[in-house]
Amino acid sequence: MDYYSGYITKLIEELSTLPGVGAKTAGRLAFHILDMPKEQVEDIANAMINAKENVKYCKTCCTLTDQDECPICSSKERDHKTIMVVESTKDMAAYEKVGEYKGVYHVLHGAINPMAGIGQNDIRLKELFERLKDDVNEVIIATNSSVEGEATAMYISKVVKPLGIKVTRIASGVPVGGDLECIDNVTLLRALQGRVTV
Amino acid sequence: MDYYSGYITKLIEELSTLPGVGAKTAGRLAFHILDMPKEQVEDIANAMINAKENVKYCKTCCTLTDQDECPICSSKERDHKTIMVVESTKDMAAYEKVGEYKGVYHVLHGAINPMAGIGQNDIRLKELFERLKDDVNEVIIATNSSVEGEATAMYISKVVKPLGIKVTRIASGVPVGGDLECIDNVTLLRALQGRVTV
C-alpha cells in the first residue's frame, strides 16, 4: 500500500536521485517542501528549469555560462595569453574569489580516470589544444591533487611542452594554517621537495 | 562579481533554503542538476510543483493526502472507534508499514512547544476534539518521546479523559535490538518503571 499520497511518493523518489540524498533525507526534504508557501516551491522548481535551459558551455573556455562567451573570456582586461586549466567551473570560481589571477581559464569538466572509463576525449582537452594554436605564453595546470588530477596534468604537460609553450603546475604543499600533524604523508613529502629558500 | 552565471547563483540560493542544505551542498547539487538530462530536471521540478498543488489535509484525520478524505479514513475495514494521535504523516506511515494497527489516525502536524511559540491552537487539536463527539472507544497517544511530545500527550489526556474515553500512551522503553549501554538514562528509567511480569 502507498502510505502517502502518490504525489509525495513520487517527490521522494525524484529527490532521492540527487547526490548525497538518501531515502530518509528525501523524505525530510519532501515534507519540508509540502510545508513551504506555494510561491517558494515554484521559485525552486523554476530556478532548476531555468538554470538547465539557459546555462551552456562558453565557446572559448568551456565554463558554464548563460552567454555564448563567458565574461572572463570576453573581457579586455584579462591576459588572454595565460590559460589556467581547471577541472570544474567551481574550481575556476575559487580562483576568481581570490581575485589576484588576471589570465583566463580553461574548464575541462572532469579529469582523466581510466578506472571510470574517462579518457582524454571525454573531457574538454581537444578544445584546450585548439586554443593553443593562438598566441599563448603559459599554461598553468590547476587540476586537483588527486590521482586523476595528476594524471591529467601529466598528459597536458606532455602534449603542450613540445609546442614550445611554458607549462606550470600550481604548488602542492601544506595549506596555510594547516597543522602539520594532521596532513597526509604525500603532501608532507611534496612540501619538502618543493621547499623554497627564505 | 558574479563568478557563475546568474542562473547558477540563483539555483544555489534557492537550494540553500532547503533544510540541511548549506552553501557547499547547494553548490554540489546545483552543478549536479546542470549535468543531468533536461527531462530528469523537469521531472524533479514537476514532482515538487505537483506535490505542492495536489496534496492537502484529509478532512477527517488531517494527514497529507491528494483526496478529500484519505484512504484510511474512508476505508470500511478500519476500526473508526480507535484513534491513534501522531505528530506527522511520516509517523503515521511508520505505523502503517508495521501493518498491525487496524484503527484510524489523527495527525497533529507538530507538538505543543511553548519555547517556539507553538500552542494548542497551532496544531490540529481542535479537529481531534471535534472527532471525539462521535462514538470513540480509545485514543492512543503516539506523539514522540520528546519534551514537546510528552507535553502534548499530557494535554490531550487531560482534555479527553473527562469525556469518559479511554486514553492510552504507546510504551516507552528499550528499543528491540537496542544495546543497553548505548541508551540514555531517561529511557532506561522508563523501561524499569514500565517493566512487565514474564
Side-chain angles (χ1 to χ4, degrees), chain B residues 118-130:
Chain B
I118 302 170
Q120 58 257 39
N121 297 323
D122 300 314
I123 58 177
R124 304 274 165 156
L125 279 169
K126 208 179 62 199
E127 289 84 349
L128 170 66
F129 300 147
E130 196 63 32

Side-chain angles (χ1 to χ4, degrees), chain B residues 59-140:
Chain B
K59 66 175 182 178
T60 308
C61 76
C62 303
T63 192
L64 295 167
T65 177
D66 47 26
Q67 290 146 50
D68 272 349
E69 191 165 50
C70 77
I72 293 171
C73 285
S74 52
S75 163
K76 280 176 182 160
E77 288 164 20
R78 310 288 298 222
D79 166 16
H80 292 265
K81 294 186 175 179
T82 306
I83 300 177
M84 183 190 283
V85 182
V86 292
E87 288 184 24
S88 72
T89 299
K90 271 194 278 192
D91 296 342
M92 171 177 148
Y95 260 102
E96 278 304 287
K97 277 176 198 156
V98 177
E100 282 298 308
Y101 178 66
K102 296 295 169 215
V104 293
Y105 296 90
H106 190 85
V107 181
L108 296 175
H109 293 286
I112 295 172
N113 184 356
M115 300 290 282
I118 302 170
Q120 58 257 39
N121 297 323
D122 300 314
I123 58 177
R124 304 274 165 156
L125 279 169
K126 208 179 62 199
E127 289 84 349
L128 170 66
F129 300 147
E130 196 63 32
R131 290 175 75 181
L132 302 182
K133 290 178 182 167
D134 298 334
D135 188 13
V136 172
N137 289 335
E138 182 176 354
V139 171
I140 303 169

Side-chain angles (χ1 to χ4, degrees), chain A residues 85 87 108 110-114 123 125 141-158 167-173 184 186-187 190 193:
Chain A
V85 182
E87 287 185 24
L108 295 175
I112 295 172
N113 185 355
I123 58 176
L125 279 169
I141 308 176
T143 53
N144 289 327
S145 268
S146 59
V147 177
E148 296 79 21
E150 294 294 352
T152 310
M154 219 176 303
Y155 179 79
I156 295 172
S157 166
K158 265 190 191 165
V167 182
T168 56
R169 177 91 173 98
I170 55 165
S172 282
D184 65 286
V186 181
T187 304
R190 288 273 181 86
Q193 288 165 344

Side-chain angles (χ1 to χ4, degrees), chain A residues 4-137:
Chain A
Y4 306 123
S5 153
Y7 292 101
I8 305 180
T9 311
K10 171 83 178 152
L11 178 57
I12 294 176
E13 258 177 44
E14 289 292 343
L15 292 171
S16 308
T17 64
L18 295 171
V21 179
K24 282 224 163 178
T25 309
R28 213 182 59 234
L29 287 175
F31 283 102
H32 180 87
I33 287 169
L34 289 170
D35 253 358
M36 292 192 321
K38 198 177 161 213
E39 295 69 35
Q40 214 182 323
V41 177
E42 287 169 350
D43 281 350
I44 299 184
N46 289 334
M48 288 169 62
I49 290 175
N50 285 338
K52 186 66 199 170
E53 274 180 356
N54 293 294
V55 174
K56 49 195 168 185
Y57 294 133
C58 166
K59 67 174 181 178
T60 308
C61 76
C62 302
T63 192
L64 295 167
T65 178
D66 46 26
Q67 291 146 51
D68 271 351
E69 192 165 49
C70 77
I72 292 171
C73 286
S74 52
S75 164
K76 280 176 184 159
E77 287 164 23
R78 310 290 296 221
D79 166 16
H80 290 266
K81 294 184 177 181
T82 306
I83 300 177
M84 184 190 282
V85 182
V86 292
E87 287 185 24
S88 72
T89 300
K90 271 192 279 192
D91 295 343
M92 171 179 148
Y95 260 102
E96 279 303 287
K97 275 176 201 157
V98 177
E100 283 297 311
Y101 178 65
K102 296 296 169 215
V104 293
Y105 296 90
H106 189 85
V107 181
L108 295 175
H109 294 285
I112 295 172
N113 185 355
M115 300 290 282
I118 301 171
Q120 59 256 39
N121 297 322
D122 300 315
I123 58 176
R124 303 273 164 158
L125 279 169
K126 207 179 62 199
E127 289 84 350
L128 170 65
F129 300 147
E130 196 62 34
R131 291 175 73 181
L132 302 183
K133 290 178 182 166
D134 297 335
D135 188 14
V136 172
N137 289 336

